[in-house]
Amino acid sequence: MIEVKNLSKMFDDLVVLDNVSFNVTEAHLVVILGPSGTGKTVLLKSILGIVPVDGGEVLFDGKPVQSAKGSEIYDIRRQVGFVFQSTALFDSMNVCENIALPLVEHTTLSNRQVRDKVQEILEIIGMVGKERLYPRSLSGGMKRLVAVGRALALDPKHLFYDEPTTGLDPIMRDRIVQLIIDLKKNYKKIGIVVTHDLDTAEKVGDDIYLLKKGKINKLKKIGKEVYNG
Ligand SMILES: Nc1ncnc2c1ncn2[C@@H]1O[C@H](COP(=O)(O)OP(=O)(O)OP(=O)(O)O)[C@@H](O)[C@H]1O
Ligand SMILES: [Mg+2]
C-alpha cells in the first residue's frame, strides 16, 4: 500500500502540489488526470523522493520515503518500475539491451539468466522478433512498450506510468492500455498512471483523481467537463 499524505510542493511562487493525499491500495490502479503542466510528473517524482517536497510524506507499506536514508530509499525505489514520459531509452542500445540494463546494473544474474528474463519480458510486451532493433527504428508506441519492458526488469511490485499513451495513434493507444490492464490482472502490477487522456483514464483506472491548481479531487465519473471550471 502506498499512502500519499498532504504532499506540498512549490517552485518559487508556483504552487504545484497543495496538500495532495490519496492511497494506492492493493490490487488497484490509481489514475491521476490533469491538464498539461499541472504537476503530474512532479507528483510521481515527489512520491519517490526524487523531487524534494516542502511538506507531507509518503509511506510505502508503512515505511516513510521522505525521511529514508541510503539503502532504505534504494529499497523503496526498487519496488517501483517507472515508465518515463520521454521513454528514456538509450539510443545506442537495442531493445534487448535497453530492457536488460537494470538487470545488468542492479543484479548479479548470469548472462543466461538475463537473457531468459528479457525473453520473458519481450513476450509480455509483445515485442518478440524486435529485440535487435534500435530505438531510432521504433515507432513512438513501440518505444513505450520497451519502456514498460525495462520498468518490469527488476520485477517491481508497483508501476508508475507517466503519460503512457500521449501522442499515440488509437491502435497503439489501445495496445498500451491493454498491456497496463493485463499487467494488473495477470501479474498484479498495480500503481499509478498519470495522463491527460480521459479515455485511457476511464479504461485503466480503479480510482480516478483530478489534479488541478495543486489540488487533488476524486472523480465519481469522468467526462469532458472535468477540465472546465
Ligand atoms: N525543476 C523545476 N523547476 C521549476 N519549475 C518546475 C520544475 N519542474 C517542474 N516545474 C513546473 O511545475 C509545473 C508542473 O510540471 P510537471 O512537469 O509536473 O507537469 P505535468 O502535469 O507533468 O505536465 P505535462 O502534461 O506537460 O507532462 C510546471 O509549471 C513546470 O514548469
Ligand atoms: Mg509530465
Side-chain angles (χ1 to χ4, degrees), residues 122-175:
L122 288 168
E123 283 166 24
I124 293 172
I125 62 173
M127 289 287 281
V128 174
K130 306 267 194 297
E131 49 269 59
R132 302 281 160 225
L133 297 179
Y134 284 81
R136 65 177 171 275
S137 48
L138 299 177
S139 69
M142 284 184 183
K143 282 187 207 166
R144 301 284 171 84
L145 291 170
V146 178
V148 174
R150 193 176 56 188
L152 288 170
L154 296 174
D155 205 15
K157 184 171 171 188
H158 304 288
L159 285 170
F160 285 6
Y161 302 89
D162 194 352
E163 297 276 7
T165 56
T166 300
L168 301 182
D169 64 65
I171 292 173
M172 230 346 152
R173 191 179 61 192
D174 286 350
R175 192 164 156 193

Short mmCIF file of all heavy atoms in Angstrom, two decimals, residues 122-175:
data_model
loop_
_atom_site.label_atom_id
_atom_site.label_comp_id
_atom_site.label_asym_id
_atom_site.label_seq_id
_atom_site.Cartn_x
_atom_site.Cartn_y
_atom_site.Cartn_z
N LEU A 122 9.92 -9.70 -23.28
CA LEU A 122 9.58 -9.46 -24.69
C LEU A 122 8.24 -10.10 -25.03
O LEU A 122 7.42 -9.54 -25.76
CB LEU A 122 10.66 -10.02 -25.61
CG LEU A 122 11.98 -9.27 -25.65
CD1 LEU A 122 13.05 -10.09 -26.36
CD2 LEU A 122 11.83 -7.92 -26.35
N GLU A 123 7.99 -11.28 -24.45
CA GLU A 123 6.71 -11.95 -24.69
C GLU A 123 5.56 -11.17 -24.05
O GLU A 123 4.51 -10.98 -24.67
CB GLU A 123 6.76 -13.39 -24.18
CG GLU A 123 7.54 -14.28 -25.15
CD GLU A 123 7.93 -15.63 -24.59
OE1 GLU A 123 7.25 -16.11 -23.66
OE2 GLU A 123 8.93 -16.19 -25.09
N ILE A 124 5.78 -10.70 -22.84
CA ILE A 124 4.72 -9.95 -22.15
C ILE A 124 4.36 -8.68 -22.93
O ILE A 124 3.19 -8.35 -23.10
CB ILE A 124 5.16 -9.57 -20.70
CG1 ILE A 124 5.30 -10.83 -19.85
CG2 ILE A 124 4.15 -8.60 -20.07
CD1 ILE A 124 5.91 -10.57 -18.47
N ILE A 125 5.38 -7.97 -23.41
CA ILE A 125 5.10 -6.69 -24.09
C ILE A 125 4.83 -6.87 -25.59
O ILE A 125 4.56 -5.88 -26.28
CB ILE A 125 6.24 -5.65 -23.89
CG1 ILE A 125 7.56 -6.14 -24.49
CG2 ILE A 125 6.40 -5.30 -22.40
CD1 ILE A 125 8.69 -5.11 -24.47
N GLY A 126 4.90 -8.10 -26.08
CA GLY A 126 4.59 -8.35 -27.48
C GLY A 126 5.65 -7.81 -28.43
O GLY A 126 5.31 -7.27 -29.49
N MET A 127 6.92 -7.95 -28.05
CA MET A 127 7.99 -7.44 -28.92
C MET A 127 8.98 -8.53 -29.32
O MET A 127 10.12 -8.22 -29.71
CB MET A 127 8.75 -6.30 -28.20
CG MET A 127 7.96 -5.01 -28.05
SD MET A 127 7.78 -4.08 -29.59
CE MET A 127 9.40 -3.30 -29.69
N VAL A 128 8.55 -9.78 -29.28
CA VAL A 128 9.43 -10.87 -29.72
C VAL A 128 9.70 -10.66 -31.21
O VAL A 128 8.77 -10.36 -31.98
CB VAL A 128 8.76 -12.25 -29.48
CG1 VAL A 128 9.59 -13.37 -30.08
CG2 VAL A 128 8.54 -12.47 -27.99
N GLY A 129 10.97 -10.81 -31.60
CA GLY A 129 11.34 -10.60 -33.01
C GLY A 129 11.85 -9.19 -33.26
O GLY A 129 12.43 -8.91 -34.30
N LYS A 130 11.64 -8.30 -32.29
CA LYS A 130 12.09 -6.90 -32.48
C LYS A 130 13.29 -6.59 -31.58
O LYS A 130 13.72 -5.45 -31.47
CB LYS A 130 10.96 -5.93 -32.07
CG LYS A 130 9.63 -6.18 -32.77
CD LYS A 130 9.53 -5.33 -34.02
CE LYS A 130 8.15 -5.25 -34.60
NZ LYS A 130 7.60 -6.52 -35.07
N GLU A 131 13.85 -7.63 -30.95
CA GLU A 131 14.86 -7.38 -29.91
C GLU A 131 16.15 -6.75 -30.41
O GLU A 131 16.87 -6.15 -29.63
CB GLU A 131 15.14 -8.64 -29.08
CG GLU A 131 15.41 -9.92 -29.85
CD GLU A 131 14.12 -10.70 -30.10
OE1 GLU A 131 13.21 -10.15 -30.73
OE2 GLU A 131 14.01 -11.85 -29.69
N ARG A 132 16.48 -6.92 -31.69
CA ARG A 132 17.75 -6.36 -32.20
C ARG A 132 17.58 -4.94 -32.74
O ARG A 132 18.54 -4.34 -33.21
CB ARG A 132 18.34 -7.25 -33.30
CG ARG A 132 18.58 -8.68 -32.87
CD ARG A 132 19.88 -8.82 -32.07
NE ARG A 132 19.84 -10.06 -31.30
CZ ARG A 132 20.18 -10.20 -30.04
NH1 ARG A 132 20.62 -9.15 -29.34
NH2 ARG A 132 20.10 -11.34 -29.42
N LEU A 133 16.37 -4.43 -32.76
CA LEU A 133 16.16 -3.08 -33.30
C LEU A 133 16.63 -2.02 -32.32
O LEU A 133 16.60 -2.22 -31.10
CB LEU A 133 14.68 -2.87 -33.62
CG LEU A 133 14.07 -3.77 -34.69
CD1 LEU A 133 12.58 -3.46 -34.87
CD2 LEU A 133 14.81 -3.62 -36.02
N TYR A 134 17.04 -0.88 -32.88
CA TYR A 134 17.45 0.26 -32.05
C TYR A 134 16.30 1.25 -31.95
O TYR A 134 15.44 1.30 -32.85
CB TYR A 134 18.69 0.91 -32.67
CG TYR A 134 19.94 0.08 -32.41
CD1 TYR A 134 20.23 -1.02 -33.20
CD2 TYR A 134 20.76 0.37 -31.32
CE1 TYR A 134 21.34 -1.83 -32.94
CE2 TYR A 134 21.87 -0.43 -31.05
CZ TYR A 134 22.15 -1.52 -31.86
OH TYR A 134 23.23 -2.31 -31.58
N PRO A 135 16.26 2.05 -30.89
CA PRO A 135 15.14 2.97 -30.70
C PRO A 135 14.83 3.82 -31.94
O PRO A 135 13.67 4.09 -32.21
CB PRO A 135 15.59 3.84 -29.52
CG PRO A 135 16.44 2.92 -28.71
CD PRO A 135 17.17 2.07 -29.72
N ARG A 136 15.88 4.22 -32.70
CA ARG A 136 15.60 5.11 -33.85
C ARG A 136 14.69 4.44 -34.87
O ARG A 136 14.02 5.14 -35.63
CB ARG A 136 16.91 5.57 -34.51
CG ARG A 136 17.72 4.47 -35.14
CD ARG A 136 18.97 4.98 -35.85
NE ARG A 136 19.82 3.87 -36.25
CZ ARG A 136 20.73 3.30 -35.45
NH1 ARG A 136 20.91 3.75 -34.22
NH2 ARG A 136 21.45 2.28 -35.88
N SER A 137 14.66 3.11 -34.91
CA SER A 137 13.79 2.48 -35.91
C SER A 137 12.47 1.98 -35.30
O SER A 137 11.73 1.24 -35.93
CB SER A 137 14.52 1.36 -36.65
OG SER A 137 15.16 0.53 -35.73
N LEU A 138 12.17 2.41 -34.09
CA LEU A 138 10.90 2.03 -33.46
C LEU A 138 9.91 3.18 -33.54
O LEU A 138 10.30 4.35 -33.44
CB LEU A 138 11.11 1.69 -31.98
CG LEU A 138 12.04 0.53 -31.64
CD1 LEU A 138 12.18 0.41 -30.12
CD2 LEU A 138 11.55 -0.78 -32.24
N SER A 139 8.63 2.84 -33.66
CA SER A 139 7.59 3.88 -33.59
C SER A 139 7.48 4.36 -32.14
O SER A 139 7.98 3.72 -31.21
CB SER A 139 6.25 3.30 -34.03
OG SER A 139 5.80 2.37 -33.06
N GLY A 140 6.79 5.50 -31.96
CA GLY A 140 6.60 6.03 -30.61
C GLY A 140 5.95 5.01 -29.69
O GLY A 140 6.34 4.87 -28.52
N GLY A 141 4.96 4.28 -30.22
CA GLY A 141 4.26 3.28 -29.41
C GLY A 141 5.17 2.14 -29.00
O GLY A 141 5.12 1.65 -27.87
N MET A 142 5.99 1.70 -29.96
CA MET A 142 6.92 0.59 -29.64
C MET A 142 7.93 1.02 -28.59
O MET A 142 8.31 0.23 -27.73
CB MET A 142 7.61 0.11 -30.89
CG MET A 142 6.71 -0.75 -31.75
SD MET A 142 7.61 -1.39 -33.14
CE MET A 142 6.30 -2.25 -33.98
N LYS A 143 8.37 2.27 -28.67
CA LYS A 143 9.30 2.77 -27.64
C LYS A 143 8.64 2.71 -26.27
O LYS A 143 9.27 2.37 -25.27
CB LYS A 143 9.71 4.21 -27.95
CG LYS A 143 10.76 4.30 -29.03
CD LYS A 143 11.22 5.75 -29.14
CE LYS A 143 11.71 6.00 -30.54
NZ LYS A 143 11.89 7.37 -30.88
N ARG A 144 7.35 3.06 -26.22
CA ARG A 144 6.64 2.98 -24.93
C ARG A 144 6.60 1.54 -24.42
O ARG A 144 6.75 1.29 -23.24
CB ARG A 144 5.20 3.48 -25.06
CG ARG A 144 5.05 4.89 -25.52
CD ARG A 144 5.37 5.89 -24.41
NE ARG A 144 5.40 7.22 -24.99
CZ ARG A 144 4.33 7.98 -25.18
NH1 ARG A 144 3.15 7.55 -24.78
NH2 ARG A 144 4.42 9.15 -25.76
N LEU A 145 6.35 0.60 -25.35
CA LEU A 145 6.31 -0.81 -24.94
C LEU A 145 7.65 -1.22 -24.33
O LEU A 145 7.70 -1.90 -23.30
CB LEU A 145 5.97 -1.72 -26.13
CG LEU A 145 4.55 -1.62 -26.69
CD1 LEU A 145 4.44 -2.39 -28.01
CD2 LEU A 145 3.53 -2.15 -25.70
N VAL A 146 8.73 -0.80 -24.98
CA VAL A 146 10.07 -1.15 -24.48
C VAL A 146 10.31 -0.49 -23.12
O VAL A 146 10.89 -1.09 -22.21
CB VAL A 146 11.17 -0.76 -25.49
CG1 VAL A 146 12.55 -1.08 -24.94
CG2 VAL A 146 10.95 -1.48 -26.82
N ALA A 147 9.83 0.76 -22.98
CA ALA A 147 9.99 1.45 -21.69
C ALA A 147 9.24 0.70 -20.59
O ALA A 147 9.74 0.59 -19.46
CB ALA A 147 9.49 2.89 -21.80
N VAL A 148 8.07 0.15 -20.92
CA VAL A 148 7.35 -0.66 -19.93
C VAL A 148 8.17 -1.92 -19.64
O VAL A 148 8.33 -2.32 -18.48
CB VAL A 148 5.93 -1.05 -20.43
CG1 VAL A 148 5.26 -2.02 -19.46
CG2 VAL A 148 5.06 0.19 -20.64
N GLY A 149 8.73 -2.51 -20.69
CA GLY A 149 9.55 -3.72 -20.51
C GLY A 149 10.72 -3.46 -19.58
O GLY A 149 11.01 -4.26 -18.68
N ARG A 150 11.38 -2.34 -19.77
CA ARG A 150 12.52 -2.04 -18.91
C ARG A 150 12.07 -1.81 -17.47
O ARG A 150 12.74 -2.20 -16.52
CB ARG A 150 13.30 -0.84 -19.44
CG ARG A 150 14.65 -0.73 -18.75
CD ARG A 150 15.51 0.36 -19.29
NE ARG A 150 14.82 1.63 -19.22
CZ ARG A 150 15.27 2.76 -19.75
NH1 ARG A 150 16.40 2.75 -20.43
NH2 ARG A 150 14.60 3.86 -19.64
N ALA A 151 10.90 -1.17 -17.32
CA ALA A 151 10.38 -0.94 -15.97
C ALA A 151 10.04 -2.26 -15.27
O ALA A 151 10.02 -2.33 -14.04
CB ALA A 151 9.14 -0.05 -16.03
N LEU A 152 9.79 -3.31 -16.07
CA LEU A 152 9.44 -4.61 -15.48
C LEU A 152 10.66 -5.44 -15.08
O LEU A 152 10.54 -6.45 -14.38
CB LEU A 152 8.64 -5.44 -16.50
CG LEU A 152 7.20 -5.00 -16.78
CD1 LEU A 152 6.66 -5.77 -17.98
CD2 LEU A 152 6.33 -5.23 -15.56
N ALA A 153 11.84 -5.02 -15.55
CA ALA A 153 13.03 -5.88 -15.45
C ALA A 153 13.31 -6.37 -14.03
O ALA A 153 13.59 -7.55 -13.82
CB ALA A 153 14.25 -5.16 -16.02
N LEU A 154 13.22 -5.49 -13.07
CA LEU A 154 13.57 -5.88 -11.69
C LEU A 154 12.37 -6.43 -10.93
O LEU A 154 12.41 -6.55 -9.71
CB LEU A 154 14.20 -4.69 -10.95
CG LEU A 154 15.53 -4.20 -11.53
CD1 LEU A 154 16.00 -2.94 -10.81
CD2 LEU A 154 16.62 -5.27 -11.46
N ASP A 155 11.32 -6.76 -11.69
CA ASP A 155 10.12 -7.35 -11.12
C ASP A 155 9.55 -6.51 -9.95
O ASP A 155 9.39 -7.00 -8.84
CB ASP A 155 10.43 -8.78 -10.64
CG ASP A 155 9.17 -9.62 -10.63
OD1 ASP A 155 8.17 -9.20 -11.25
OD2 ASP A 155 9.17 -10.68 -9.99
N PRO A 156 9.28 -5.24 -10.23
CA PRO A 156 8.81 -4.35 -9.15
C PRO A 156 7.38 -4.70 -8.74
O PRO A 156 6.62 -5.28 -9.52
CB PRO A 156 8.83 -2.97 -9.81
CG PRO A 156 8.55 -3.26 -11.26
CD PRO A 156 9.23 -4.56 -11.55
N LYS A 157 7.06 -4.33 -7.52
CA LYS A 157 5.70 -4.54 -7.03
C LYS A 157 4.73 -3.55 -7.68
O LYS A 157 3.59 -3.87 -7.96
CB LYS A 157 5.73 -4.34 -5.51
CG LYS A 157 4.45 -4.61 -4.79
CD LYS A 157 4.69 -4.57 -3.29
CE LYS A 157 3.38 -4.64 -2.55
NZ LYS A 157 3.57 -4.40 -1.11
N HIS A 158 5.24 -2.34 -7.92
CA HIS A 158 4.40 -1.27 -8.45
C HIS A 158 4.94 -0.75 -9.77
O HIS A 158 6.14 -0.81 -10.00
CB HIS A 158 4.36 -0.08 -7.50
CG HIS A 158 3.92 -0.42 -6.12
ND1 HIS A 158 2.61 -0.72 -5.81
CD2 HIS A 158 4.60 -0.52 -4.96
CE1 HIS A 158 2.51 -0.98 -4.52
NE2 HIS A 158 3.71 -0.88 -3.98
N LEU A 159 4.03 -0.20 -10.58
CA LEU A 159 4.47 0.51 -11.78
C LEU A 159 3.91 1.93 -11.74
O LEU A 159 2.75 2.12 -11.38
CB LEU A 159 3.97 -0.21 -13.04
CG LEU A 159 4.71 -1.49 -13.42
CD1 LEU A 159 3.97 -2.22 -14.53
CD2 LEU A 159 6.14 -1.21 -13.84
N PHE A 160 4.75 2.89 -12.08
CA PHE A 160 4.30 4.27 -12.26
C PHE A 160 4.42 4.58 -13.74
O PHE A 160 5.52 4.49 -14.30
CB PHE A 160 5.19 5.26 -11.49
CG PHE A 160 4.98 5.28 -10.00
CD1 PHE A 160 4.14 4.38 -9.35
CD2 PHE A 160 5.63 6.24 -9.22
CE1 PHE A 160 3.95 4.41 -7.97
CE2 PHE A 160 5.44 6.29 -7.84
CZ PHE A 160 4.61 5.37 -7.22
N TYR A 161 3.30 4.91 -14.36
CA TYR A 161 3.31 5.23 -15.78
C TYR A 161 3.10 6.73 -15.95
O TYR A 161 2.07 7.27 -15.54
CB TYR A 161 2.14 4.54 -16.49
CG TYR A 161 2.06 3.04 -16.40
CD1 TYR A 161 1.37 2.42 -15.36
CD2 TYR A 161 2.58 2.23 -17.41
CE1 TYR A 161 1.23 1.03 -15.30
CE2 TYR A 161 2.44 0.84 -17.36
CZ TYR A 161 1.77 0.26 -16.31
OH TYR A 161 1.62 -1.11 -16.26
N ASP A 162 4.06 7.40 -16.59
CA ASP A 162 3.91 8.84 -16.83
C ASP A 162 3.47 9.05 -18.27
O ASP A 162 4.25 8.88 -19.20
CB ASP A 162 5.24 9.56 -16.55
CG ASP A 162 5.06 11.07 -16.45
OD1 ASP A 162 3.95 11.56 -16.74
OD2 ASP A 162 6.04 11.75 -16.07
N GLU A 163 2.22 9.43 -18.46
CA GLU A 163 1.64 9.69 -19.79
C GLU A 163 1.93 8.54 -20.77
O GLU A 163 2.54 8.76 -21.82
CB GLU A 163 2.22 10.98 -20.38
CG GLU A 163 1.89 12.22 -19.59
CD GLU A 163 0.52 12.81 -19.93
OE1 GLU A 163 -0.22 12.15 -20.70
OE2 GLU A 163 0.19 13.87 -19.41
N PRO A 164 1.48 7.34 -20.45
CA PRO A 164 1.87 6.20 -21.29
C PRO A 164 1.28 6.20 -22.69
O PRO A 164 1.82 5.54 -23.56
CB PRO A 164 1.36 4.99 -20.49
CG PRO A 164 0.25 5.52 -19.65
CD PRO A 164 0.64 6.94 -19.31
N THR A 165 0.19 6.95 -22.90
CA THR A 165 -0.47 6.87 -24.22
C THR A 165 -0.47 8.19 -24.98
O THR A 165 -1.02 8.26 -26.08
CB THR A 165 -1.94 6.41 -24.05
OG1 THR A 165 -2.60 7.31 -23.16
CG2 THR A 165 -2.02 5.00 -23.52
N THR A 166 0.16 9.21 -24.42
CA THR A 166 0.11 10.52 -25.07
C THR A 166 0.79 10.50 -26.43
O THR A 166 1.89 9.97 -26.58
CB THR A 166 0.80 11.57 -24.17
OG1 THR A 166 0.09 11.59 -22.95
CG2 THR A 166 0.76 12.95 -24.79
N GLY A 167 0.10 11.06 -27.41
CA GLY A 167 0.68 11.21 -28.74
C GLY A 167 0.66 9.95 -29.59
O GLY A 167 1.25 9.93 -30.67
N LEU A 168 -0.02 8.91 -29.13
CA LEU A 168 -0.04 7.66 -29.91
C LEU A 168 -1.32 7.58 -30.75
O LEU A 168 -2.34 8.16 -30.41
CB LEU A 168 0.01 6.46 -28.97
CG LEU A 168 1.23 6.36 -28.05
CD1 LEU A 168 1.14 5.08 -27.23
CD2 LEU A 168 2.53 6.41 -28.86
N ASP A 169 -1.23 6.81 -31.86
CA ASP A 169 -2.45 6.60 -32.65
C ASP A 169 -3.37 5.66 -31.87
O ASP A 169 -2.94 4.99 -30.93
CB ASP A 169 -2.08 6.03 -34.03
CG ASP A 169 -1.45 4.66 -33.93
OD1 ASP A 169 -2.14 3.72 -33.49
OD2 ASP A 169 -0.25 4.55 -34.24
N PRO A 170 -4.66 5.63 -32.24
CA PRO A 170 -5.64 4.88 -31.44
C PRO A 170 -5.30 3.40 -31.27
O PRO A 170 -5.54 2.83 -30.21
CB PRO A 170 -6.95 5.04 -32.22
CG PRO A 170 -6.76 6.26 -33.05
CD PRO A 170 -5.30 6.37 -33.34
N ILE A 171 -4.71 2.79 -32.30
CA ILE A 171 -4.41 1.36 -32.20
C ILE A 171 -3.30 1.12 -31.18
O ILE A 171 -3.40 0.24 -30.32
CB ILE A 171 -4.02 0.79 -33.60
CG1 ILE A 171 -5.27 0.82 -34.48
CG2 ILE A 171 -3.46 -0.62 -33.48
CD1 ILE A 171 -5.02 0.45 -35.92
N MET A 172 -2.26 1.93 -31.26
CA MET A 172 -1.16 1.79 -30.29
C MET A 172 -1.64 2.14 -28.88
O MET A 172 -1.24 1.53 -27.91
CB MET A 172 -0.02 2.71 -30.70
CG MET A 172 1.34 2.10 -30.77
SD MET A 172 1.64 0.52 -30.03
CE MET A 172 2.94 -0.10 -31.02
N ARG A 173 -2.49 3.15 -28.81
CA ARG A 173 -3.01 3.55 -27.50
C ARG A 173 -3.77 2.39 -26.87
O ARG A 173 -3.57 2.07 -25.70
CB ARG A 173 -3.93 4.77 -27.67
CG ARG A 173 -4.29 5.41 -26.35
CD ARG A 173 -5.17 6.61 -26.55
NE ARG A 173 -6.41 6.23 -27.19
CZ ARG A 173 -7.29 7.08 -27.71
NH1 ARG A 173 -7.06 8.37 -27.67
NH2 ARG A 173 -8.40 6.65 -28.26
N ASP A 174 -4.60 1.72 -27.67
CA ASP A 174 -5.35 0.57 -27.14
C ASP A 174 -4.41 -0.54 -26.72
O ASP A 174 -4.67 -1.25 -25.74
CB ASP A 174 -6.33 0.04 -28.20
CG ASP A 174 -7.52 0.98 -28.36
OD1 ASP A 174 -7.66 1.91 -27.53
OD2 ASP A 174 -8.30 0.80 -29.31
N ARG A 175 -3.33 -0.71 -27.46
CA ARG A 175 -2.38 -1.78 -27.13
C ARG A 175 -1.71 -1.51 -25.78
O ARG A 175 -1.55 -2.40 -24.95
CB ARG A 175 -1.34 -1.89 -28.25
CG ARG A 175 -0.50 -3.13 -28.14
CD ARG A 175 0.22 -3.41 -29.43
NE ARG A 175 1.40 -4.21 -29.16
CZ ARG A 175 2.37 -4.41 -30.04
NH1 ARG A 175 2.30 -3.91 -31.24
NH2 ARG A 175 3.41 -5.16 -29.71
#
